[in-house]
């Protein structure tokens, strides 16, 4: 077969087949709804409209939704093409670089505090938020010297940070943000043609600009130096095309909310077919982006035939997260290994345990004590002291002994087991970025816990069993993928992003289907010590400390041997595969017990081991007690501030930890890049 014939077949398949599929999906999409309409009625509504309810349903509700899906999917796909070219990063998209979270956060802030500024569906606010977010990610990941892995990691942490801040606002301003949860998860619901008529001019202008710059984008793929030598003003080309990409993202977010992974999947479909010219890449990506998003919306309504509106963003994440994992593994095979781990604790202070442990224990006692005597009425040490020792009012005695004390102990034990879990994962995987939340374990535990509560409708006693089952399943997936990636640190962290996104999508679907209250769902998903007591402490947290910590203390030296590398460890007689599996399984069980008790709290397992290394060095025997104590005091402090910062309102402890942990993680990345 000659080249011309091959190119013709490829073009017909890509564009002709894509257009045919788009027409088919549009027709299927229009025929879906709460009310079944005969085929003839739908065709009459499209071709011979009349002033009837059925025809109005098709033309003013269903058809605008389908058209909006095509426009939004196409815009997100073209945005992905531009971002991948400009950043030289095959993993770039509005979702992986955090642009979606920035636009969403900006719109929520404006909705609450400055609603009069929400002109034009909030597109100005969304655009500025997305542009600033891209700037943050680009600078923090190293600018022009950023590697693909580092850039996506920075985008992940920015997403964590903005998502936490957004959750705080939605919890405390539930009335002002009522109805925004479904939009925030991505939805194509349209009540008229307003969204289409608003977004079409913006998308049209951006498409003309991008198509005009297609040749210049082709030149950029040769490298900045070559492009400059060929007469291109590289800085202007990047600036204008990035503005167009962010505007395409912003206009879709302002209408349909943040819908992830379309900008990752569609461009790579076209690239896999063989197209490299940006003119054809842009046109093909727009067409197939529409197909991807329409297909996701069709699947959402097939999965939930009650039409209670599953968020289409969750469906695209279910499809896109495996795609991200495949791309990461493919990139790993086709490129040289990147030693991009964020090493922390290399320059330790080198303190002895005899000096560190008493200080940490004292700090825990003081923090717990302050927590016991702090509440809605501020800091009351005398009242608390008297109540604790059986004096004072019965009310205060009950408040301190049966509410505040067990809650503080739940925070202490949860923080300790999460921190120890992070230490074990970092040692087993030789990955200083490993943390139960970063590599997807807590996401799996959350899926298992929610399925137990709301799908199987069993007793609450089974919640920890469900959490552990979900964590173990996700653990096996992580270990299998980690083995393929040779446990390369930053690649494994990227795989964790994909796994976490998959778990988060399942959680979103369950939250919507179970019809949970938005504030209560966000609070649980963010991780909270609110209303936790003796029951959670005894059922979920005591046993991992009593059973697993002694075992780990006995075998912790094997982590030092694993740190020497697999070949050296085998030469020293260590059964590497068995040890890695057993210790990682124990770390998974500890993370699952914490999720069952307090929900998904991230970053404790990342921050605590790093701080411990800064204090006592890298010997794991020293790290074990120090890490546990640091993790405990971190979560006790977070619990204290969650109750007192905005009293009588309460911030979920997990959100506070994320707000602290995300900047710390970014600082580590910036320090490494420097």
């Amino acid at each position: 077969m000659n080249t011309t014939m091959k190119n013709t077949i490829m073009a017909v398949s890509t564009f002709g087949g894509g257009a045919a599929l788009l027409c088919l999906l549009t027709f299927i999409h229009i025929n879906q709804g709460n009310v079944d309409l005969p085929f003839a009625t739908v065709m009459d509504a499209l071709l011979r409209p009349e002033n009837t309810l059925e025809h109005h349903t098709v033309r003013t509700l269903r058809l605008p939704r389908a058209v909006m899906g095509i426009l939004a999917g196409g815009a997100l796909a073209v945005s992905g093409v531009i971002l991948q070219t400009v950043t030289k990063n095959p993993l770039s998209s509005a979702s992986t670089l955090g642009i979606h979270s920035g636009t969403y956060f900006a719109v929520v802030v404006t909705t609450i505090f400055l609603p009069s500024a929400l002109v034009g569906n909030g597109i100005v606010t969304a655009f500025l938020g997305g542009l600033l977010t891209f700037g943050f990610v680009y600078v923090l990941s190293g600018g022009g010297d950023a590697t693909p892995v580092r850039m996506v990691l920075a985008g992940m942490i920015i997403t964590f940070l903005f998502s936490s801040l957004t959750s705080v606002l939605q919890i405390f301003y539930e009335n002002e943000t009522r109805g925004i949860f479904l939009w925030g998860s991505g939805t194509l619901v349209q009540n008229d043609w307003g969204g289409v008529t608003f977004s079409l001019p913006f998308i049209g202008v951006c498409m003309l600009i991008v198509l005009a710059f297609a040749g210049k984008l082709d030149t950029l793929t040769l490298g900045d130096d070559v492009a400059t030598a060929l007469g291109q003003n590289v800085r202007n080309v990047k600036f204008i095309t990035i503005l167009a990409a962010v505007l395409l993202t912003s206009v879709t977010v302002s209408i349909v909310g943040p819908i992830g992974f379309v900008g990752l999947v569609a461009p790579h479909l076209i690239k896999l077919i063989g197209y490299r010219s940006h003119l054809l890449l842009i046109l093909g990506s727009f067409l197939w982006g529409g197909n991807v998003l329409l297909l996701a919306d069709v699947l959402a309504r097939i999965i939930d035939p009650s039409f209670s509106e599953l968020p289409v963003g969750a469906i695209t994440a279910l499809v896109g997260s495996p795609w991200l994992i495949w791309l990461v593994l493919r990139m790993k095979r086709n490129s040289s290994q990147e030693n991009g781990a964020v090493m922390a604790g290399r320059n330790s202070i080198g303190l002895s345990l005899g000096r560190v442990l008493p200080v940490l224990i004292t700090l825990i006692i003081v923090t717990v004590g302050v927590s016991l005597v702090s509440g809605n009425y501020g800091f009351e040490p005398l009242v608390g002291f008297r109540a604790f020792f059986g004096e004072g009012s019965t009310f205060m005695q009950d408040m301190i002994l049966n509410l505040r004390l067990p809650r503080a102990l739940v925070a202490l034990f949860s923080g300790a087991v999460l921190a120890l879990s992070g230490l074990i994962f970092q040692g087993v995987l030789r990955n200083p970025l490993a943390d139960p939340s970063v590599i997807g374990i807590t996401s799996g535990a959350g899926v298992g816990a929610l399925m137990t509560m709301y799908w199987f409708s069993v007793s609450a006693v089974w919640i920890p069993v469900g959490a552990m089952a979900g964590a173990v399943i996700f653990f096996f997936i992580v270990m299998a993928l980690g083995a393929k990636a040779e446990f390369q640190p930053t690649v494994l962290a990227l795989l964790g992003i994909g796994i976490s996104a998959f778990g988060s999508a399942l959680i979103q679907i369950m939250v919507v289907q179970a019809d949970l209250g938005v504030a209560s769902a966000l609070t649980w998903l963010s991780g909270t010590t609110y209303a936790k007591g003796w029951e959670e402490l005894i059922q979920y947290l005591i046993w991992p400390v009593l059973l697993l910590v002694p075992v780990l203390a006995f075998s912790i030296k094997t982590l030092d041997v694993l740190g020497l590398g697999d070949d050296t460890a085998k030469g020293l007689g260590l059964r590497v595969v068995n040890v890695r599996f057993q210790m990682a399984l124990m770390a998974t069980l500890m993370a699952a017990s914490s999720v069952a008790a307090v929900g998904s709290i991230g970053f404790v397992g990342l921050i605590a081991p790093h701080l411990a290394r800064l204090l006592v060095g890298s010997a794991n025997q020293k790290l074990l007690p120090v890490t546990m104590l640091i993790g405990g005091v971190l979560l006790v402090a977070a619990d204290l501030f969650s109750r007192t910062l905005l009293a009588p309102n309460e911030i979920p402890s997990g959100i506070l930890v994320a707000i602290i942990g995300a900047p710390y993680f970014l600082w580590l990345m910036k320090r490494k890049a420097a």
Side-chain angles (χ1 to χ4, degrees):
M1 184 182 297
N2 60 41
T3 304
T4 304
M5 180 64 70
K6 183 179 178 180
N7 290 339
T8 302
I9 293 174
M10 188 167 68
V12 170
S13 301
T14 304
F15 294 95
L21 178 60
L22 190 66
C23 292
L24 176 62
L25 288 174
T26 302
F27 183 76
I28 294 172
H29 193 277
I30 292 172
N31 277 274
Q32 289 182 307
N34 290 323
V35 178
D36 291 328
L37 297 177
F39 174 78
T41 302
V42 174
M43 294 305 298
D44 285 341
L46 295 175
L47 302 176
R48 294 178 294 277
E50 298 176 2
N51 189 23
T52 64
L53 178 61
E54 291 82 1
H55 285 201
H56 280 298
T57 299
V58 173
R59 295 179 66 87
T60 61
L61 294 178
R62 298 187 182 180
L63 189 58
R65 178 172 180 158
V67 174
M68 193 65 240
I70 296 170
L71 291 176
L76 291 172
V78 172
S79 175
V81 171
I82 298 167
L83 292 172
Q84 289 163 22
T85 298
V86 171
T87 63
K88 301 181 179 65
N89 182 357
L91 303 177
S92 288
S93 71
S95 51
T96 56
L97 297 186
I99 297 174
H100 275 149
S101 63
T103 55
Y104 183 31
F105 174 68
V107 171
V108 171
V109 169
T110 310
T111 300
I112 295 170
F113 300 109
L114 200 62
S116 59
L118 284 174
V119 292
N121 291 299
I123 187 172
V124 175
T125 301
F127 176 70
L128 292 176
L131 201 59
L132 288 173
T133 304
F134 175 80
F136 286 151
V137 171
Y138 190 74
V139 171
L140 289 169
S141 58
D145 298 325
T147 61
V149 170
R150 186 170 298 281
M151 187 171 288
V152 176
L153 284 175
M156 174 193 73
I157 301 303
I158 288 289
T159 298
F160 279 164
L161 179 60
F162 280 136
S163 297
S164 298
L165 293 172
T166 303
S167 295
V168 170
L169 294 175
Q170 287 182 284
I171 289 168
F172 287 114
Y173 296 92
E174 187 174 9
N175 291 331
E176 289 84 349
T177 58
R178 189 177 301 277
I180 209 172
F181 181 75
L182 181 61
W183 172 82
S185 303
T187 177
L188 295 181
V189 173
Q190 302 292 305
N191 295 321
D192 52 34
W193 286 93
V196 173
T197 56
F198 172 80
S199 61
L200 186 58
F202 287 101
I203 295 174
V205 170
C206 287
M207 285 296 296
L208 291 176
I209 293 172
V210 171
L211 289 171
F213 276 77
K216 295 180 173 61
L217 290 171
D218 287 335
T219 309
L220 281 186
T221 60
L222 303 174
D224 290 357
D225 293 337
V226 175
T228 302
L230 293 174
Q232 297 291 349
N233 189 326
V234 172
R235 182 172 296 179
N236 285 350
V237 172
K238 288 185 176 181
F239 180 73
I240 293 172
T241 52
I242 285 173
L243 286 181
V246 174
L247 184 57
L248 284 169
T249 301
S250 302
V251 71
T252 57
V253 170
S254 67
I255 301 298
V256 299
I259 297 176
F261 290 102
V262 176
L264 191 69
V265 174
H268 280 286
L269 281 174
I270 306 303
K271 290 176 183 177
L272 284 174
I273 293 172
Y275 287 106
R276 295 294 180 267
S277 164
H278 275 80
L279 179 63
L280 297 176
L281 261 180
I282 290 165
L283 294 174
S285 295
F286 189 94
L287 175 62
W288 282 90
N291 276 324
V292 169
L293 193 50
L294 270 189
L295 177 61
D297 205 34
V298 168
L299 290 176
R301 294 194 281 180
I302 291 175
I303 293 172
D304 185 6
S306 68
F307 295 97
S308 60
E309 289 303 339
L310 285 181
V312 68
I315 304 301
T316 59
L318 282 179
V319 176
S321 49
W323 191 269
L324 173 63
I325 291 169
W326 177 78
L327 284 175
V328 171
L329 293 174
R330 184 170 180 262
M331 185 183 70
K332 159 70 176 58
R333 289 195 301 269
N334 295 341
S335 62
S336 60
Q337 291 192 359
E338 176 200 352
N339 185 19
V342 180
M343 298 302 295
R346 292 175 298 172
N347 301 319
S348 67
I349 301 173
L351 299 175
S352 66
L353 288 182
R355 297 176 63 184
V356 174
L357 293 182
V359 172
L360 288 175
I361 292 171
T362 303
L363 186 59
I364 286 175
I365 293 172
V366 171
T367 308
V368 171
V370 172
S371 180
L372 294 182
V373 299
S374 300
N376 293 346
Y377 299 103
F379 182 57
E380 300 175 304
L382 293 178
V383 174
F385 183 83
R386 292 178 60 196
F388 187 77
F389 288 98
E391 302 177 9
S393 67
T394 306
F395 172 78
M396 282 305 299
Q397 290 181 33
D398 185 64
M399 172 72 72
I400 290 177
L401 297 177
N402 294 321
L403 294 178
R404 293 179 185 173
L405 178 60
R407 174 171 172 166
L409 292 177
V410 165
L412 177 65
F413 277 72
S414 291
V417 297
L418 276 177
L420 184 54
S421 177
L423 175 67
I424 301 304
F425 275 123
Q426 289 172 19
V428 165
L429 303 178
R430 298 199 306 276
N431 181 359
L433 302 178
D435 164 80
S437 60
V438 172
I439 63 175
I441 301 299
T442 54
S443 179
V447 170
L450 276 179
M451 288 183 68
T452 303
M453 286 188 284
Y454 302 111
W455 277 15
F456 299 122
S457 300
V458 296
S459 169
V461 176
W462 293 94
I463 291 175
V465 176
M468 288 172 195
V472 169
I473 291 171
F474 274 52
F475 159 74
F476 280 116
I477 296 172
V478 169
M479 294 299 286
L481 294 174
K484 286 190 175 182
E486 300 173 6
F487 297 103
Q488 188 178 331
T490 45
V491 173
L492 187 59
L494 276 183
L495 295 173
I497 296 173
I499 294 166
S500 294
F502 187 83
S504 298
L506 291 175
I507 288 172
Q508 277 188 336
I509 291 172
M510 285 187 282
V511 167
V512 173
Q513 283 197 317
D515 196 24
L516 294 173
V518 172
S520 60
L522 287 173
T523 299
W524 189 89
L525 293 173
S526 301
T528 179
T529 47
Y530 175 74
K532 305 303 179 183
W534 296 113
E535 183 179 353
E536 287 79 12
L537 182 67
I538 295 169
Q539 288 186 359
Y540 308 145
L541 297 171
I542 290 291
W543 67 266
V545 174
L546 295 179
L547 296 180
L548 297 179
V549 171
V551 176
L552 288 171
F554 179 76
S555 58
I556 196 72
K557 283 185 178 180
T558 55
L559 289 183
D560 294 322
V561 181
L562 283 177
L564 300 175
D566 287 1
D567 293 337
T568 303
K570 289 176 183 176
L572 294 173
L574 192 70
R575 300 175 66 183
V576 172
V577 175
N578 289 347
V579 169
R580 176 174 282 132
F581 179 83
Q582 290 166 6
M583 297 199 73
L585 182 59
M586 284 190 284
T588 299
L589 293 176
M590 286 189 288
S593 68
S594 176
V595 172
V598 297
S600 301
I601 294 180
F603 289 106
V604 173
L606 182 71
I607 298 173
H610 285 182
L611 292 178
R613 290 189 190 97
L614 288 172
L615 293 175
V616 298
S618 58
N620 282 286
Q621 272 190 313
K622 291 183 177 181
L623 286 174
L624 188 146
V626 175
T627 298
M628 288 184 66
L629 293 176
I630 291 176
V633 77
L634 278 175
L635 202 50
V636 171
D639 173 64
L640 170 62
F641 289 124
S642 74
R643 292 193 295 109
T644 57
L645 278 180
L646 298 176
N649 295 321
E650 184 162 327
I651 307 170
S653 305
I655 291 178
L656 275 181
V657 175
I659 292 173
I660 297 169
Y664 175 75
F665 191 102
L666 292 170
W667 174 77
L668 286 175
M669 289 190 65
K670 186 64 178 173
R671 178 185 174 204
K672 170 69 176 175

